[in-house]
Amino acid sequence: MFLRPKTYTARYPQWMVGRPLLYMSSALASLGDAMFGYGQGSIASAQVQPSFIYRMFGKEVTMAQIQAGQTGVDPFIQAITVSCLNLTALLASFIAAYLCDLLGRRMSVRIGGIMYFIAALIQIFAPNLGALIAGRCIQGLGVGILSMTVPILQCEIAPAHARGLFVSIEYICLNIGYAVSAWVGYGFFFAMPSEISWRGPYIVQAAIALVLIFWTFFLPETPRWLAQNGFQKEALITLADLHGAGNVSDPKILATYAEIVGAVEFEAHMGQASWRQLFTQYTRRCIVGITCQMFAQLNGINAILYFLPSNLTRAGFTISRSLLYSGACALIYCSGTIPAMFLIDKFGRRVFLLFGSVALAASLSIVGGLQYYADSLPLGSARVSAADAIFFGVCLYLFFFGATWGPGPWLLGAEIFPLRARAKGMSLSTGTNWLFNFIIAFITPPLFNALNAGYYFVLVGFCIISLVVVWFIYPETAHHTLEDLGEVFGDKVMDDEGPAREQAQRSANAIQRERSGLPVITDSEVTLQPSMSTTPTAKDEASIIMKERSSVEPDV
């Protein structure tokens, strides 16, 4: 198509080549997720501020009325204000399936960052609720694009043995974003009664978006996307710069490049999977991709995060103490991701999710039971001891979620789908996340209003259901190459897939034979599309690039 890039230029400095480039690319691309986490916290802290409630909902309230939950704000209007972002994120996640394949991963990240920046400006100067909702809707477009693109980028640049680590880096960045917003919200709270107390956090959001946009001009494109789109030489250089310290003659780099060539030819024969094929040929993968994100929401995380200061105020804390403790909860949430970073590749995804379902059900039961007790006490100092215990229960919940059902679904969605269906599969999984994110954000205010502490036990029920689903449906995907997952899931194979795969394997083997004596690497992270019948061999590409580098250092 005419929008597809015709040239590619790498702009990262040469001193970054190797592990610094790999880890900086992973961490800074994850700023996209950090901004979503930041958005969760900023709207949560704003909802307990009198100036925000007056400006957006026209209700003059005191701090005491907010603490008693007597703001007079229609819970459905509050629900729409919070959840509108999720609807546009749902739409954008499906658009991103085509955008990141057409324009590339780094351009998609850039577009998401620009959307975020525009949204932040609108919310900084929002004069009324309509403008705020418009800003959150635009922010949702950026969230949807980034939440679908960043996990694919992570898996495509990650070493084969560290997929869990790299997606966990992405998720801990999301949690750090939430933590930063909680502490920024607490700091600006003391600017009351000025409206800067809730507008200030959006200024910080705009600054973070600018950092992400700036970095995309240096972020390397993934070798897999480059190979799909005719940039063979650039794909080999980028692969070497990320994983081989810039040495394009490294045997492992050449072996991985040979696999990419073979997989590209497989894609040329098979083409991209249609949406119908996604559901009929990869049925079990779709069930896992959909349900993992569905239960990530139904297990209650955004019922807690979107309304955390409000929930702590309901428990019995003052508003300032609720904001302070929200910041402490956010730090616990971040720390929960650390075990996943180092252990989810070792013990497996299934074990983490099963343990998580049990731990979340127990934590929510503690919070719900204590909230029932707190509701029977008069407002004021009598509730402090119960509120402290509720705070402890919330911290337990956030730690266990951050370690299990937080990063797990994003990792599964990015790795379980085959090469020809990865973009659509990830889009389907991410779209499910935003659909149920919207549902939870929309129903939580009225359900808390109607059920009070009983709502926590509704979430406990979903945790138990998720345990059953994982036990009976989810296979273990750790310790398997991406190519092995077809056997793990027992996919239905189309009649013409076998010959196409054999021909692709013959092409890869031919390249390997030209490099006699070099080891064959079988596990590569590739997302590939139509390619060229005249693809140069890995050895040819390496020879050409080495000659170029020996004469004139390329402009990178």
Side-chain angles (χ1 to χ4, degrees):
M1 294 179 64
F2 70 93
L3 292 176
R4 196 179 297 276
K6 301 297 190 298
T7 61
Y8 170 76
T9 303
R11 297 186 178 89
Y12 49 84
Q14 192 65 29
W15 61 263
M16 290 185 65
V17 166
R19 287 188 178 272
L21 180 63
L22 178 64
Y23 288 113
M24 287 288 286
S25 296
S26 174
L28 287 172
S30 295
L31 271 179
D33 294 283
M35 287 193 296
F36 168 54
Y38 187 91
Q40 287 177 307
S42 59
I43 191 64
S45 61
Q47 292 177 85
V48 294
Q49 300 200 32
S51 60
F52 177 83
I53 293 172
Y54 177 72
R55 169 67 68 177
M56 297 302 161
F57 304 108
K59 306 290 184 180
E60 291 193 38
V61 294
T62 63
M63 300 286 282
Q65 287 175 308
I66 294 174
Q67 186 171 353
Q70 299 171 351
T71 62
V73 177
D74 187 329
F76 284 101
I77 298 298
Q78 182 187 18
I80 291 170
T81 303
V82 174
S83 64
C84 63
L85 177 150
N86 307 115
L87 281 182
T88 52
L90 171 64
L91 173 65
S93 67
F94 286 102
I95 296 173
Y98 301 96
L99 193 66
C100 73
D101 275 344
L102 180 64
L103 300 179
R105 289 29 169 163
R106 69 172 183 175
M107 179 58 75
S108 295
V109 172
R110 186 179 305 164
I111 292 171
I114 291 171
M115 291 285 190
Y116 244 105
F117 180 71
I118 293 171
L121 290 181
I122 293 173
Q123 290 171 95
I124 289 170
F125 299 105
N128 51 45
L129 182 61
L132 180 76
I133 290 176
R136 285 185 60 77
C137 286
I138 294 173
Q139 183 175 328
L141 295 175
V143 166
I145 292 171
L146 291 168
S147 64
M148 187 270 173
T149 304
V150 172
I152 290 180
L153 187 151
Q154 296 281 26
C155 272
E156 289 188 351
I157 68 172
H161 62 278
R163 295 194 301 265
L165 171 62
F166 273 67
V167 175
S168 295
I169 289 174
E170 172 195 346
Y171 192 74
I172 200 171
C173 285
L174 187 154
N175 295 350
I176 289 172
Y178 181 81
V180 169
S181 72
W183 288 103
V184 168
Y186 177 67
F188 275 102
F189 173 78
F190 295 99
M192 289 196 310
S194 169
E195 289 190 348
I196 197 66
S197 62
W198 60 268
R199 295 186 190 271
Y202 293 113
I203 298 174
V204 177
Q205 179 176 314
I208 297 173
L210 284 176
V211 172
L212 178 63
I213 294 167
F214 174 78
W215 173 242
T216 60
F217 289 96
F218 298 91
L219 179 72
E221 187 54 81
T222 70
R224 280 78 190 177
W225 185 88
L226 291 170
Q228 303 171 20
N229 291 274
F231 301 108
Q232 304 101 304
K233 184 180 73 172
E234 291 84 353
L236 183 54
I237 292 175
T238 303
L239 195 64
D241 287 348
L242 287 169
H243 300 289
N247 181 11
V248 295
S249 295
D250 186 301
K252 292 182 179 180
I253 298 300
L254 292 175
T256 302
Y257 181 76
E259 286 187 19
I260 291 176
V261 171
V264 166
E265 293 199 7
F266 171 71
E267 280 295 316
H269 284 84
M270 294 300 300
Q272 287 290 315
S274 66
W275 286 102
R276 180 175 176 274
Q277 289 172 334
L278 188 66
F279 286 100
T280 58
Q281 187 178 348
Y282 306 113
T283 306
R284 192 179 180 192
R285 301 194 202 211
C286 285
I287 292 172
V288 172
I290 290 171
T291 57
C292 69
Q293 289 287 10
M294 178 181 77
F295 283 117
Q297 295 302 318
L298 294 179
N299 286 353
I301 184 60
N302 282 315
I304 301 294
L305 291 186
Y306 279 137
F307 308 98
L308 183 55
S310 301
N311 292 341
L312 293 176
T313 300
R314 184 184 296 109
F317 291 118
T318 63
I319 293 177
S320 60
R321 182 63 61 87
S322 295
L323 290 171
L324 175 64
Y325 279 18
S326 293
C329 284
L331 296 179
I332 298 294
Y333 187 29
C334 287
S335 67
T337 312
I338 296 174
M341 290 176 65
F342 298 103
L343 299 176
I344 199 168
D345 283 317
K346 180 178 180 180
F347 293 106
R349 291 58 160 140
R350 195 169 183 269
V351 171
F352 265 68
L353 294 180
L354 289 171
F355 174 77
S357 294
V358 174
L360 296 182
S363 302
L364 287 169
S365 296
I366 292 171
V367 174
L370 289 169
Q371 187 65 59
Y372 265 122
Y373 172 67
D375 288 342
S376 67
L377 301 174
L379 290 173
S381 59
R383 284 195 178 189
V384 172
S385 60
D388 286 336
I390 289 172
F391 167 69
F392 175 75
V394 170
C395 287
L396 281 180
Y397 172 87
L398 290 174
F399 179 86
F400 287 126
F401 189 93
T404 58
W405 279 95
W410 293 105
L411 174 56
L412 284 173
E415 75 179 356
I416 62 174
F417 292 100
L419 308 179
R420 60 193 297 262
R422 184 173 297 162
K424 287 187 177 69
M426 185 62 190
S427 176
L428 178 69
S429 184
T430 304
T432 302
N433 171 76
W434 293 118
L435 174 62
F436 281 89
N437 201 319
F438 165 75
I439 291 171
I440 290 297
F442 187 79
I443 68 174
T444 291
L447 283 182
F448 262 133
N449 193 51
L451 301 177
N452 295 314
Y455 182 47
Y456 289 111
F457 291 97
V458 174
L459 301 176
V460 169
F462 284 119
C463 292
I464 295 171
I465 294 172
S466 70
L467 174 72
V468 175
V469 171
V470 173
W471 181 268
F472 286 105
I473 296 177
Y474 286 32
E476 182 52 69
T477 59
H479 318 303
H480 292 282
T481 68
L482 297 182
E483 290 77 14
D484 287 341
L485 293 184
E487 296 179 8
V488 172
F489 280 96
D491 293 328
K492 178 182 176 183
V493 179
M494 298 191 309
D495 294 337
D496 57 344
E497 183 169 343
R501 187 175 294 278
E502 290 174 4
Q503 182 168 344
Q505 187 61 52
R506 284 196 297 271
S507 298
N509 289 340
I511 295 174
Q512 293 294 341
R513 286 194 296 271
E514 291 189 10
R515 297 178 288 105
S516 58
L518 297 182
V520 178
I521 307 285
T522 58
D523 182 16
S524 64
E525 306 271 335
V526 286
T527 298
L528 301 148
Q529 278 192 1
S531 186
M532 309 60 56
S533 59
T534 59
T535 303
T537 66
K539 187 176 180 180
D540 292 338
E541 289 287 3
S543 298
I544 293 169
I545 294 167
M546 290 299 290
K547 289 178 181 178
E548 289 180 352
R549 286 189 165 182
S550 64
S551 58
V552 180
E553 186 70 16
D555 180 17
V556 293

